[in-house]
Amino acid sequence: MMKNCKKIMKNDSYYILCNPISGAGKANKIFNQLKKDLTQRFKSYQAYKSEYAGHIKEICQDIKNHKNIIIIGGDGTFHEAINGLMLNENVEALTIGFLPGGTGNSFMHDLNAPTYSKAMPKLLNGKTKKIDVLQLDLNGKREYAFNIV
């Protein structure tokens, strides 16, 4: 089963999730820069850092009352986020933006946004792109994949 998932947003209110250890701390620096940039642009946000493996997935699964989500991390963080979002009953109404904070950032290279300075303008200008999400069922376990299986 494949589902389309939106990327990036234009509205002024954001829900930010960061894996602070992605990219040996690179994501944490981007997290701080993003908060500064959004504040300078008078955009409201709520910002959270993950505290343990699987935390981003749990948070994404339970997001309610928010439409615009920004995930900061690497491919592993994005994988965790997508797997949580696909379990969220509101996934079709969510707009998800990614900022590269990992080591390799394969997915962000695919989107031609491998750096904060390339990804941020796309995010703030509401450039959207649908992505396919593949549902994998094996031995009673369900996972979702979006760029690497």
Side-chain angles (χ1 to χ4, degrees):
M1 173 182 169
M2 296 185 111
K3 282 191 171 186
N4 287 323
C5 190
K6 292 182 190 175
K7 184 204 164 291
I8 311 186
M9 70 290 304
K10 191 165 183 158
N11 192 316
D12 289 336
S13 182
Y14 302 93
Y15 190 89
I16 304 167
L17 294 173
C18 174
N19 178 351
I21 62 170
S22 282
K26 177 181 173 184
N28 199 43
K29 290 177 184 169
I30 290 170
F31 178 74
N32 293 328
Q33 183 64 50
L34 175 62
K35 291 190 303 181
K36 198 181 298 184
D37 288 346
L38 291 176
T39 299
Q40 288 175 349
R41 289 172 172 84
F42 304 103
K43 297 184 183 287
S44 63
Y45 63 87
Q46 291 180 331
Y48 303 95
K49 293 181 183 180
S50 64
E51 299 174 5
Y52 50 86
H55 196 203
I56 296 278
K57 180 180 178 180
E58 291 172 10
I59 294 169
C60 287
Q61 182 176 346
D62 294 330
I63 292 173
K64 293 175 180 40
N65 304 321
H66 297 281
K67 182 181 181 239
N68 301 318
I69 317 299
I70 299 174
I71 310 294
I72 305 168
D75 293 321
T77 304
F78 300 155
H79 173 77
E80 200 174 302
I82 291 293
N83 273 272
L85 289 164
M86 293 303 291
L87 299 174
N88 188 310
E89 63 188 27
N90 300 314
V91 69
E92 296 295 331
L94 299 174
T95 308
I96 302 110
F98 297 105
L99 288 175
T103 307
N105 299 308
S106 171
F107 181 59
M108 296 307 290
H109 280 279
D110 293 345
L111 298 175
N112 195 28
T115 64
Y116 180 84
S117 62
K118 285 192 175 192
M120 189 61 173
K122 292 179 182 193
L123 187 123
L124 291 178
N125 291 329
K127 282 201 83 148
T128 62
K129 182 173 186 171
K130 290 187 177 211
I131 61 170
D132 289 326
V133 177
L134 174 67
Q135 178 180 305
L136 304 164
D137 292 305
L138 181 63
N139 298 328
K141 185 177 178 187
R142 176 169 288 164
E143 288 277 332
Y144 296 93
F146 61 96
N147 81 326
I148 298 173
V149 179

